[in-house]
Amino acid sequence: MNDGARGVQGVHSRPGRALAGPAAVQARLRLIRVGLWLVALAIAARQAAAVLSRPSGERLTDLETWTGPGGVLHMTGSLYDADRFTGTPFAGLVLKPLSRAAEDALGLGWTFGTLLLVAVLGWIAARALPKPVTRRTALLAAPVAISLLMLSLPVRNALYLGQASVIPVLLVLLGCFAVPGQRRAGVLIGVAAALQPTMLLFAALLWLTGRHRAALSGGVAFVVCTALTWVALPHDSWIYWVHHLAGTGLGANPSGLGNQSLHGALLRLGLDGAPEIAVFLALGAAVAVLGLRRALRYAEDGQLLLAVAITGCVAVAVSPTTWQHQLLWVLLAVIGRVGKRARDRYVWPVAVVLVLTLPAKALLPNMAVVFPLRDNVVLLAALAAACAVPFLPRSSPYFRAPIPTAYARPVPARWHRVPLLPFWRRVLNRPNLLLELLLIRVGYSAYAQVRLGVRGERAAAEDHGASVDSIEKFLHIDIEHWANQNVVKVGWLRDFFDFYYESFHFFVPLTILAVLYIRRPADFRWGRSALGFATVLALLGFWLFPLAPPRLMPGLHFVDTVHGVQDFSKPDYGTLTSVTNQYAAMPSLHFGWALWCGIMIAVLAPRWWMKALGLLHPLFTVSAIIATGNHWVLDAVGGATVIGIGFGLTHVLSGPRATLPLPAEAAEGPPTGDGAPPGRDAAPGGATAGDGTAPGEERPLAPVAADEKPREDGDGAAPDGGDPPAAGGLTPDRRPSLP
């Protein structure tokens, strides 16, 4: 073995890092499990505290409007007189005693009761994952599912506004996965439909999957509950079912952004009256037919939880009104597996989690051209899950073994403890473009919100500006006023720097990222990580050291060439004060990002003239930010510092940047310290991955027949030692055995 290979081997075989035995693996899993449950408990406590810490007059606003003096559920007239209650009459009949109990407990009962229901819902969903799933996996999945549910917008909305939308979802999951007997399961789904009529679609799913008795029981339970409510509340039942056509038009404006259904989307697009109703009925019927067919297909495949989630997404789309607290079904659709490659496997779940936890404006830019997408982003996610997303069947060879990711040969580090995170290996495959764009957009949105949120006081920012000016004078680098006054006198130079300041800040870094993504995927990840670390560090600077730029310093007579003349008599005199933090000057990310661009070009460009040309960008940028009065010289020093720390953190955490090996090393294949055979990881530089494929190519897997089922041992256990197939598994006739 040559010296280079020995160096690589030394990275894997560090002293004291023996191969972990079964006991160590079990201990590590127990530690991870405890950590996940602690995270779930912390999130639940945070959500409860956010609700209960409100003043008594504001706590559970919607609930108090139901139960307070003259509240909806205390009114002697109709439930719908106040135009606030949007549920079915049966829901009003059931919620009266529940809401009175919550009122007596000052909201504690309602809040903690809702959290308990969410925890039960997450546990059932984790146990209903498609087989073969081990008990260990379910125990790890449960706290993750509960945490995601707690963070989701529907649950947060239900907690803050006192909604009961978690109950129908829980009733359906109990009926499908927990309650034995077809009649009992059907009754639970029928009660859920009495609370939310579109839940009747689950009775259709039961019928299609051969559970006729459960489907009939569900229909009968729905009819009985609704009929009893007609007897108890005839006036309210007439208003809901006849006058408002199953609740359509009750509550908030159905064309508002809160109504994430096809009906709401069509109203927002400008359709109205009979044409809108006709289009809605046609689209709703098409979505219902296509969605139920897909749900049946995945139910027969043994993925019953996915089938239930798809049916719920259909209910979200076809309901006349689907408010934010009724959208949990979309989140449950993350359990579907999408993509043959390992690098694509995370796109769908990450997209759904972001859609269900972040506001739409954080996902899409504030541009008129994307308003139709942004206004209906949750509906589009539901429609995708119901009708379009190609979830993998269990018979697919990629269901449990996606095409693996190719990794670069580790490079020996100068220091013994580098990398600190050995699992952060250099990936050779090109990352998924949609996932990268989504994460970049969300990351920038978070950066912009934090940057805007850490506003500094004007007095403190000006004091810091005076301090910076004094330091620069002491160091004899106070060239800002001289540069600003001389540039103002030369019209074409002023226009050039104004244009450069406004135009190249985003364009050049995005262009470099795009080129790296296409030509150098491994270096794309390296550069992206360094840029991300630097940006996060810059946020700390904005928070700890608010600084007025030269153009906003009274008495220094700077000319703001970009933003125009400032009115220093106003408390907030910055032209863009309402949309950005004018005191986020230290460090200068204008120069920091430009320096990152110059470093990337200088390191990776193949020609000397390209490297020299790349270094002109940070030179022009630092000239522009100083000449236009937008930054001090020390701001540029701060920007260079955070960029240097960003590259340093990337190096320390993940090791040196992977370089192409010599042909002899590539042919030998990277040695591994975990007992894997040579050639398991793809080597760069055109080396094969041990199976005749190049690093970026897909590795063919042995095909599996479409009707092949996962092998089970004689005792019914799955091949990997998991639990035997439960209620959602496949029966000999390939129908899921629903309770």
Side-chain angles (χ1 to χ4, degrees), residues 480 483-491 493-502 550-552 557-566 575 623-630:
E480 295 89 355
N484 178 254
Q485 296 299 316
N486 282 278
V487 167
V488 168
K489 298 175 183 177
V490 183
L493 190 58
R494 168 178 175 168
D495 294 340
F496 170 76
F497 281 131
D498 288 352
F499 175 77
Y500 205 93
Y501 178 85
E502 292 183 303
R551 64 182 177 84
L552 295 184
H557 307 293
F558 280 88
V559 177
D560 190 345
T561 63
V562 177
H563 305 97
V565 179
Q566 306 298 317
T575 306
S623 302
I625 63 175
I626 293 175
T628 58
N630 278 278

Side-chain angles (χ1 to χ4, degrees), residues 29 94 126 160 221 423 577 681:
L29 287 174
V94 172
Y160 297 154
F423 57 83
T577 300
D681 291 341

Side-chain angles (χ1 to χ4, degrees), residues 10 28 35 37 112 161 195 203 219 276 315 322 325 375-376 394 431 446 474 501 534 545 557 644-645 670:
R28 189 180 300 114
W37 278 111
F112 288 104
L161 302 181
L195 294 171
E276 188 273 330
T322 304
H325 53 85
D375 295 346
N376 305 290
R394 292 199 309 167
F474 176 77
Y501 178 85
F545 195 78
H557 307 293
I645 296 175

Side-chain angles (χ1 to χ4, degrees), residues 660-680:
L660 295 179
L662 296 174
E665 295 175 349
E668 188 172 347
T672 59
D674 55 1
R680 179 67 177 177

